[in-house]
Amino acid sequence: MHRVTGVVRWLLAIGCILGLCYSPVGLANAKIIVINSSDAPPYQHTAAALAKHLAASGVLAKHELQILSLAQADTLAALEPGNVIVTLGSAAADYAIQQLPGVPVINSFITHSAYQALHAPALPDQAITAVFMDQPLARLIQLASLLKQDQQPYKIGLLSQADVDQQLLTAASVSDIEIHSATLLLKQNPIKQIEPLMKHSDVVIVRPSTSLFNRLVAKLVLQLSMRYQTPVIGFSEKYARAGALLSLYASPDNIGQDTAQLISEWLDAPTLDASALNRPPKGLPPARYGEHFSLAINARIAKKMSMTVDAQQLSTALQRMEAKNVGD
């Protein structure tokens, strides 16, 4: 019996109507077990999207899918070989790493920094990989460059709670673009870091940090953005609604699609059996940022800043830039 709740059950029912419902072919096939950290809508929507994209890719024609809440995960204490765990959120990822050390784990709905923190105490031979929900720095800088008008040089500010690799920033800079970063610390007055960056930048990228810090800083960032007429690129749809010019983020559907793609790549490997599923980490695809993303525009802020921005045009241009970089 498959344990599926809410939106997930509805989407899988639609999948069956379309002929996409899964039919496990036997115990020799890997079972995909999803552990969800929360019943909150974003997590449920991500689980639903994952099920939808796994069905669309044909994975569920060969492999059984089971979706559990974190509270139900205790039933996994004695897993048979040949299963793979997919976690949604940090709490589920932590549980799987601590309680299921012998089972391959794919962490999803998790940021790069959270993954690094959780991965540190893992056993050396533990098979763990991830799809990060936050955006790679290169993609953010490329998006910021698409907003460039006639500024010479074009100054991009980067605001985060963690230090940024200066070599990466230097590599991302080009002749007519300068990138400056500011690191926020809880013990310091944030306005002393934020205001100079906002005042001397043509655009400011805000990267996600802890929930508490996000709430403390967001209001100040958006107030200073309007004061200096400096557009802000946020990291969530909410940030754009609150007053950022735009946000670049992974929606639940984006996360579900990218996670399904990684699962499909792995399960489609030439030699897949129980021993292969429990091989060392090198057998798993490497942890990576998601390929798919969403853009949200605040039209009111764009008008106040006399800027013309179109989400579809920016998205298409960004995809082309990334495709060119891959081709190069």
Side-chain angles (χ1 to χ4, degrees):
M1 178 67 68
H2 306 296
R3 304 180 185 183
V4 185
T5 59
V7 178
V8 180
R9 184 183 292 111
W10 176 79
L11 270 173
L12 288 178
I14 295 297
C16 287
I17 292 171
L18 296 174
L20 297 173
C21 58
Y22 51 88
S23 55
V25 185
L27 293 176
N29 294 278
K31 180 188 287 186
I32 303 167
I33 302 172
V34 179
I35 305 177
N36 213 337
S37 292
S38 171
D39 290 331
Y43 292 87
Q44 292 296 313
H45 293 160
T46 301
L50 175 58
K52 178 186 72 173
H53 288 291
L54 284 173
S57 68
V59 168
L60 298 188
K62 301 177 182 178
H63 305 281
E64 180 180 351
L65 175 66
Q66 186 176 26
I67 300 178
L68 304 175
S69 68
L70 190 54
Q72 294 170 319
D74 287 338
T75 62
L76 303 176
L79 274 180
E80 296 180 359
N83 294 296
V84 57
I85 298 293
V86 181
T87 63
L88 301 181
S90 296
D94 184 50
Y95 175 88
I97 289 172
Q98 299 296 329
Q99 302 299 324
L100 304 168
V103 183
V105 177
I106 296 173
N107 298 148
S108 184
F109 207 107
I110 194 169
T111 63
H112 181 264
S113 60
Y115 172 76
Q116 287 186 314
L118 289 172
H119 193 267
L123 298 175
D125 61 346
Q126 202 164 351
I128 305 172
T129 191
V131 179
F132 307 130
M133 64 184 295
D134 50 335
Q135 301 300 305
L137 181 58
R139 182 180 293 160
L140 287 163
I141 291 173
Q142 286 176 332
L143 175 61
S145 70
L146 291 172
L147 301 178
K148 183 178 183 296
Q149 296 174 347
D150 56 359
Q151 303 97 328
Q152 291 291 343
Y154 184 57
K155 298 177 182 178
I156 299 174
L158 183 63
L159 186 66
S160 66
Q161 197 181 356
D163 291 329
V164 180
D165 188 338
Q166 284 302 128
Q167 289 185 336
L168 186 59
L169 291 182
T170 302
S173 299
V174 294
S175 58
D176 60 344
I177 293 181
E178 294 180 0
I179 302 173
H180 303 278
S181 64
T183 303
L184 296 172
L185 301 173
L186 281 173
K187 295 180 181 180
Q188 297 178 347
N189 183 351
I191 197 169
K192 291 184 178 180
Q193 280 74 46
I194 299 171
E195 188 165 25
L197 190 70
M198 198 71 68
K199 185 176 181 179
H200 299 293
S201 298
D202 297 306
V203 61
V204 169
I205 298 167
V206 181
R207 305 191 80 192
S209 51
T210 63
S211 297
L212 172 62
F213 215 63
N214 287 338
R215 291 195 297 270
L216 290 173
V217 168
K219 187 175 181 180
L220 180 58
V221 165
L222 297 174
Q223 287 176 341
L224 292 172
S225 169
M226 291 308 302
R227 178 185 299 176
Y228 294 108
Q229 292 290 285
T230 303
V232 165
I233 298 176
F235 51 81
S236 69
E237 192 174 12
K238 284 185 177 180
Y239 222 107
R241 288 201 301 266
L245 173 68
L246 57 87
S247 280
L248 179 66
Y249 64 99
S251 69
D253 190 70
N254 297 147
I255 298 169
Q257 185 173 5
D258 285 322
T259 307
Q261 185 173 316
L262 187 146
I263 294 170
S264 180
E265 288 175 13
W266 190 36
L267 295 181
D268 285 344
T271 56
L272 182 67
D273 53 31
S275 61
L277 280 168
N278 289 284
R279 58 185 176 250
K282 63 182 180 180
L284 280 167
R288 66 198 192 195
Y289 288 98
E291 177 183 340
H292 300 89
F293 56 83
S294 295
L295 277 168
I297 305 289
N298 188 318
R300 177 179 59 86
I301 298 299
K303 185 176 181 180
K304 285 188 175 183
M305 293 187 174
S306 301
M307 296 183 69
T308 302
V309 287
D310 180 272
Q312 186 56 54
Q313 289 180 357
L314 286 174
S315 180
T316 300
L318 193 52
Q319 289 169 351
R320 285 175 180 166
M321 291 173 77
E322 292 197 326
K324 182 178 182 298
N325 290 339
V326 171
D328 295 342

